[in-house]
Amino acid sequence: MFNLFKRRETEICKEAELNTIYEKLKSEFSYDNIPEIRKKFLKMNIQKYGYLPYPFQKALDELTNEETLYSLEEKWKKNGIFKDGKFNFKNDQISPLARNNEKDSDWFKKEGHDIKLINLAALGNGNVSSEPGKFMDWLKQLLILPAGNMANGIYSTTIYLIPFHPREFGCAYLPKSNEVSEKLKDAHIEELTGMDAKKQVQVFIELAQLAGHPVIYDILPQTGRFSKFVLANPQVARWYDINELQKQLFAKVDEVAEFLSKDHDQDDIQIVKDIYIQRMKGNSGDLSPAFQELYNSFEGIMIEHKKDFSNTMLSKPYQQKIQKRVREIVAKIHGFKNSSQKLEEKDITKQIDTIQELMEVGLWPAPGGAWCSAGVPVFEEMSECGGYPKFKHFDYKGDDVTVLANLDCQTPYYFVNLENGKFNEDVIKLYIECMEQLQKDYNFDGFRVDHIDHVVDEVSERNGVPISYRAPRYVLNKLNSTMKKKLPYFATLAEYMLWDNYLKEYHQDMKFDLLWGNDIISQFDKTPENIMADNQNLANYNSKFKKGGMLSILKTYNNQDGEFRVIDQYPAQLGEEGALYKWFKYKFLPGGKYSQRPMMYVDGDESFTQGGTEYTIGEEVAMKRSDNEEFFKKFDAIDRFVKNSKVISGGEAQIIVDDEDGFSSWLITKEPLNTAYLIVSNHKYPTEKVTKTAATGEEYREIVEGYPVYDKEIFIPTDYTLKKEYIIGEKDFEPHDIENMDSIHFDKLDPGEFRVYELQR
């Protein structure tokens, strides 16, 4: 009883803390500087819509900091946590999910709900400079984030934050530490309020949740090569002693040379042997074509020794010895008296010095590999000039897949001993504790788990036993179960693109609520009929969960992978009208009770930004955005219409026709409501990049154009009367009375053109 009282007594009152910070902000950005007519305009819009309906670029260009704070107050008031110029909330009711007493994560899966991918650094004004976004830029994004409609069970747009840690090699998914990147810190805000970089991010998230927006975060089952987490906890990584491994391999080179000398000239053997050794050391030895065959013979034998020695070195007994050496080096560099003492990231104050010493003695974390690699990475040679080790990667069949490897600069966690399939429970426990602390530090409402696309198929498991560097299903189950036990409403999103339909494994075995889906990689293939087939597949799976706890799959307009060269599928390829139609058809194709699916898009999509998502995520720079306000108005109107419609957000679409030429139509109904919506469109895009197969069997991609459809007719379904047509006006879908007819004739529908009709039963 005493201990409990003591804990509460020392707990920070977040309401008082935030009010102190906010007073300092308001003293700097006084509302007296805002003309009354401007205040009236801002207040009117937010009271009407629940947010300021601006594209973000317009917000950056037009809104002052004073106007941003003034307008946000209206948003906070609508959420019932701001009154008389002050915040009013309890510590355990900052999240809108906590305030609404949510008992599960179904809120995350709701049809009509939006998830917006946001990179804090990208929120700067990239049209002016590359300077990363800062605190007040983030608040402008918060102001324009669309509200939900709680009457229809739809929360305001969920913020999906990608990693904000300092990173290596221009990649957000290779963190140097779990700290907040100093590039995000606003020095003026720090001087004004005392908030450092971490506190600025924490307060932004707090303000977002108080404005009604849940916030989820991208977490990783891997880390940067020599991250602070790895240096503080060497046991979380597999390690190579490259110097020792080279000694072992050099001895085998002599044996191989002797073996090959039986059939080759001794001088030739010596030349190739010397070059082979030099290449393993990182020195580029020249090799004439005359010696290539002999060199290949050398490598053909040596690769088996490399595999054997690599496997041995990455086995548990060897790892414990190397990890002990790493701890000793960390302790020596930092002046710790006891190398076995428990360390945290904050103890690693000499990261660069430690890395240099580890590299000097040849100690390197073992990397990941290719999407399909299994077993351990096999040391091949040092890079040119000996800068870093290079590895070969093999799949579960033993085939070389090194050409597909792009993850040699990451350190996957040492969750399992690949030599026997036994789990390292201490590493798993530490990882989960780290994720619990991350959630606690920022009060996240959910996690999206990166890089878990192939954790249960044949490339990563054999008879249920893990065989690859990827996070095993056992670990992901423990992680998600732990988070959901702590917060019943905690949402879990898996980066799984539906290969081989492992719905049960990700949902029931690993406790994921929502799957990434395959919309981006299949953009060219997602006709209305195929989207409905996806909906039906999910409904069939969910039919066994009538009491709740269903699975959901994202409908994806865009994500951070679209511009990745292997995928190369994103809305800008479709043209402006095509992109708008893509957004529309996903929004207007609900799957019904058993196929509830939220929608994801990326910051910048709302104004038809052409590209740059992948670049800005990697480089921590502001995004260059399109300022297409006309596109935004339509984009926003479509979203708002769906959220405000019980029929669409709670109903189900049924295909009437979906022809090869692009002519398509479907009906949206919800029992027992008498209102229905008839949709007619040309599902061909003005332009799109499609995958084709050449006569040789090879696949290639090319841009193709869509064409209008002519002289089409759709009959009004029996028992329904045609009442209205909805047309996007200045800001909203506006109803227009229409003559009741048995059918509607269309002289022409252009690619991406769509029509919305209201019917009454």
Side-chain angles (χ1 to χ4, degrees):
M1 191 72 170
F2 174 77
N3 289 338
L4 179 61
F5 176 76
K6 184 177 181 181
R7 183 187 68 81
R8 286 180 175 171
E9 186 179 48
T10 58
E11 188 176 35
I12 295 172
C13 177
K14 294 187 177 181
E15 175 195 278
E17 180 187 49
L18 185 58
N19 277 320
T20 299
I21 292 169
Y22 193 64
E23 282 302 317
K24 292 176 180 177
L25 290 173
K26 286 204 296 184
S27 67
E28 178 74 4
F29 307 116
S30 172
Y31 301 167
D32 294 340
N33 298 326
I34 310 173
E36 288 302 315
I37 191 170
R38 181 66 170 168
K39 288 181 180 178
K40 185 177 180 180
F41 169 82
L42 294 168
K43 186 174 183 178
M44 178 187 67
N45 271 276
I46 295 166
Q47 286 182 343
K48 179 179 179 180
Y49 297 107
Y51 62 105
L52 186 63
Y54 275 20
F56 187 53
Q57 187 59 48
K58 182 177 180 180
L60 289 172
D61 292 338
E62 182 178 304
L63 293 175
T64 65
N65 291 335
E66 291 84 353
E67 291 171 341
T68 301
L69 292 177
Y70 174 82
S71 303
L72 278 171
E73 286 193 6
E74 294 301 318
K75 211 170 178 181
W76 292 319
K77 287 175 186 176
K78 290 181 76 69
N79 279 271
I81 51 79
F82 194 88
K83 186 178 180 181
D84 299 327
K86 290 188 178 296
F87 291 97
N88 183 11
F89 59 87
K90 296 178 180 178
N91 275 13
D92 61 354
Q93 292 192 335
I94 294 172
S95 167
L97 308 170
R99 294 199 298 276
N100 285 289
N101 200 29
E102 293 290 349
K103 299 297 185 184
D104 54 41
S105 53
D106 285 351
W107 64 270
F108 194 47
K109 315 167 195 176
K110 184 72 177 74
E111 189 78 37
H113 182 57
D114 290 331
I115 300 168
K116 188 172 186 180
L117 188 155
I118 293 174
N119 173 21
L120 292 177
L123 296 182
N125 195 339
N127 294 356
V128 175
S129 78
S130 62
E131 178 70 15
K134 298 297 195 297
F135 186 77
M136 294 307 299
D137 300 321
W138 308 341
L139 294 188
K140 290 175 183 177
Q141 174 70 212
L142 173 57
L143 179 59
I144 62 100
L145 274 180
N149 186 334
M150 292 305 292
N152 289 335
I154 301 171
Y155 274 88
S156 295
T157 302
T158 287
I159 295 173
Y160 158 32
L161 290 178
I162 69 154
F164 44 63
H165 310 305
R167 73 277 307 271
E168 293 182 315
F169 304 109
C171 179
Y173 298 93
L174 294 174
K176 294 179 181 178
S177 72
N178 286 321
E179 300 159 316
V180 172
S181 173
E182 284 295 304
K183 292 183 179 181
L184 298 177
K185 183 175 72 176
D186 188 318
H188 179 60
I189 294 296
E190 182 179 37
E191 181 181 354
L192 181 67
T193 65
M195 295 192 295
D196 61 10
K198 180 177 181 179
K199 191 64 179 177
Q200 289 178 28
V201 172
Q202 288 174 319
V203 169
F204 165 69
I205 291 170
E206 193 171 311
L207 293 173
Q209 291 173 321
L210 291 171
H213 299 279
V215 181
I216 68 170
Y217 190 62
D218 221 341
I219 67 166
L220 319 171
Q222 74 269 349
T223 185
R225 179 174 265 168
F226 287 106
S227 73
K228 286 188 176 182
F229 189 66
V230 168
L231 298 182
N233 306 281
Q235 73 275 19
V236 303
R238 300 175 181 90
W239 290 84
Y240 268 110
D241 182 343
I242 297 297
N243 293 350
E244 176 60 27
L245 193 58
Q246 284 181 323
K247 288 179 184 177
Q248 296 171 357
L249 291 171
F250 292 160
K252 285 297 178 182
V253 169
D254 290 334
E255 290 184 17
V256 173
E258 184 176 350
F259 173 76
L260 292 176
S261 65
K262 300 173 185 177
D263 301 313
H264 296 83
D265 180 80
Q266 190 66 41
D267 291 339
D268 292 349
I269 290 289
Q270 188 62 46
I271 291 170
V272 171
K273 172 188 166 183
D274 290 343
I275 291 175
Y276 193 86
I277 290 174
Q278 289 303 310
R279 286 188 174 180
M280 266 210 290
K281 290 180 177 179
N283 301 318
S284 56
D286 293 327
L287 186 69
S288 68
F291 290 103
Q292 188 62 54
E293 185 177 346
L294 180 55
Y295 186 92
N296 292 344
S297 297
F298 242 91
E299 176 60 17
I301 299 172
M302 283 300 299
I303 188 61
E304 298 305 317
H305 293 306
K306 290 177 178 178
K307 289 178 183 179
D308 290 342
F309 289 149
S310 294
N311 275 288
T312 299
M313 185 164 282
L314 294 192
S315 65
K316 187 74 170 183
Y318 219 127
Q319 284 301 293
Q320 290 174 330
K321 295 176 184 177
I322 300 177
Q323 289 164 1
K324 183 174 182 292
R325 286 184 61 200
V326 175
R327 288 190 189 91
E328 291 169 350
I329 290 171
V330 172
K332 182 185 75 171
I333 296 296
H334 287 80
F336 303 141
K337 294 180 180 179
N338 183 2
S339 64
S340 61
Q341 73 181 80
K342 182 176 175 59
L343 300 177
E344 298 179 7
E345 280 197 28
K346 62 183 176 59
D347 299 314
I348 306 299
T349 58
K350 298 181 179 180
Q351 186 177 17
I352 300 300
D353 293 342
T354 306
I355 294 171
Q356 289 175 340
E357 179 68 14
L358 289 169
M359 292 168 59
E360 183 68 26
V361 299
L363 298 182
W364 292 78
W371 69 266
C372 55
S373 56
V376 306
V378 176
F379 173 71
E380 180 183 14
E381 62 190 16
M382 294 301 291
S383 65
E384 190 170 347
C385 300
Y388 56 89
K390 296 168 64 177
F391 297 89
K392 287 275 191 181
H393 301 277
F394 300 86
D395 65 13
Y396 70 100
K397 296 179 290 188
D399 294 336
D400 190 334
V401 293
T402 306
V403 68
L404 301 174
N406 62 345
L407 301 169
D408 275 5
C409 49
Q410 71 164 209
T411 297
Y413 292 122
Y414 189 12
F415 291 130
V416 63
N417 301 306
L418 294 176
E419 67 270 22
N420 55 26
K422 292 183 178 179
F423 292 107
N424 288 322
E425 294 291 351
D426 60 331
V427 175
I428 296 170
K429 181 174 181 290
L430 183 60
Y431 173 69
I432 292 175
E433 287 174 350
C434 181
M435 294 302 103
E436 287 184 282
Q437 188 61 50
L438 182 70
Q439 187 284 324
K440 182 180 179 181
D441 283 351
Y442 299 95
N443 196 35
F444 290 125
D445 297 303
F447 285 154
R448 181 258 191 187
V449 187
D450 178 62
H451 197 58
I452 54 169
D453 215 356
H454 293 277
V455 300
V456 295
D457 55 22
E458 59 192 3
V459 308
S460 292
E461 278 191 5
R462 182 178 293 125
N463 300 322
V465 178
I467 60 172
S468 84
Y469 66 92
R470 291 176 181 270
R473 72 168 90 182
Y474 170 77
V475 175
L476 297 169
N477 173 289
K478 291 197 76 168
L479 170 65
N480 291 338
S481 297
T482 298
M483 301 310 301
K484 288 178 176 294
K485 184 177 180 180
K486 180 180 178 182
L487 293 171
Y489 57 72
F490 196 81
T492 52
L493 167 58
E495 189 197 23
Y496 169 54
M497 298 187 193
L498 308 184
W499 316 108
D500 302 314
N501 211 36
Y502 287 116
L503 304 188
K504 180 260 182 189
E505 286 78 5
Y506 281 85
H507 179 222
Q508 297 177 59
D509 295 356
M510 291 181 257
K511 310 301 180 188
F512 281 104
D513 302 307
L514 182 61
L515 306 181
W516 201 236
N518 60 10
D519 288 346
I520 280 293
I521 58 175
S522 309
Q523 174 176 275
F524 64 92
D525 194 42
K526 294 294 182 172
T527 62
E529 188 170 35
N530 286 342
I531 294 171
M532 278 304 305
D534 292 341
N535 290 347
Q536 188 60 53
N537 183 55
L538 179 60
N540 292 342
Y541 172 80
N542 277 331
S543 62
K544 63 178 77 71
F545 300 102
K546 291 183 170 59
K547 294 183 179 180
M550 296 183 194
L551 176 67
S552 184
I553 298 171
L554 274 176
K555 292 191 281 191
T556 304
Y557 173 79
N558 198 9
N559 65 32
Q560 69 264 56
D561 296 321
E563 296 169 46
F564 186 54
R565 62 187 180 280
V566 177
I567 296 174
D568 194 19
Q569 297 275 289
Y570 51 95
Q573 297 167 337
L574 309 176
E576 187 174 325
E577 295 303 320
L580 195 68
Y581 177 66
K582 181 181 181 181
W583 177 251
F584 169 84
K585 70 179 176 181
Y586 276 121
K587 284 286 181 181
F588 275 73
L589 280 165
K593 179 180 179 181
Y594 294 106
S595 188
Q596 294 280 292
R597 300 176 64 191
M599 186 86 172
M600 184 169 72
Y601 67 107
V602 176
D603 164 45
D605 283 338
E606 71 274 6
S607 58
F608 194 51
T609 297
Q610 302 295 298
T613 299
E614 185 181 8
Y615 172 72
T616 55
I617 283 176
E619 296 300 326
E620 285 189 288
V621 294
M623 177 186 285
K624 292 182 178 180
R625 290 178 173 78
S626 296
D627 189 17
N628 189 332
E629 193 166 356
E630 289 306 309
F631 181 89
F632 167 77
K633 289 176 181 178
K634 297 173 185 177
F635 189 92
D636 195 48
I638 290 167
D639 181 45
R640 204 165 48 248
F641 188 88
V642 170
K643 288 174 180 173
N644 292 335
S645 169
K646 288 186 180 296
V647 175
I648 301 174
S649 65
E652 183 174 357
Q654 297 293 335
I655 292 292
I656 297 173
V657 62
D658 198 30
D659 290 340
E660 284 291 324
D661 63 2
F663 183 64
S664 60
S665 179
W666 61 92
L667 184 69
I668 309 171
T669 60
K670 176 178 170 55
E671 295 296 337
L673 301 180
N674 290 323
T675 299
Y677 292 101
L678 176 68
I679 312 301
V680 180
S681 74
N682 179 351
H683 76 234
K684 296 292 186 182
Y685 296 118
T687 60
E688 63 179 324
K689 182 170 280 192
V690 302
T691 299
K692 294 187 175 183
T693 304
T696 60
E698 292 182 307
E699 289 188 343
Y700 66 99
R701 289 176 180 155
E702 71 176 20
I703 296 288
V704 299
E705 293 184 0
Y707 297 96
V709 294
Y710 297 95
D711 193 23
K712 296 291 185 177
E713 186 173 26
I714 197 76
F715 288 90
I716 305 303
T718 307
D719 298 331
Y720 282 98
T721 301
L722 182 61
K723 287 292 184 182
K724 295 180 174 67
E725 180 177 8
Y726 282 86
I727 299 171
I728 298 177
E730 179 62 25
K731 281 191 174 181
D732 301 287
F733 262 110
E734 298 173 352
H736 295 259
D737 291 333
I738 189 171
E739 179 185 352
N740 183 33
M741 300 174 284
D742 293 332
S743 66
I744 308 172
H745 182 266
F746 302 91
D747 292 329
K748 178 185 177 184
L749 286 170
D750 288 319
E753 185 176 351
F754 55 86
R755 304 283 185 86
V756 178
Y757 300 95
E758 181 184 310
L759 310 181
Q760 287 290 325
R761 183 166 51 188

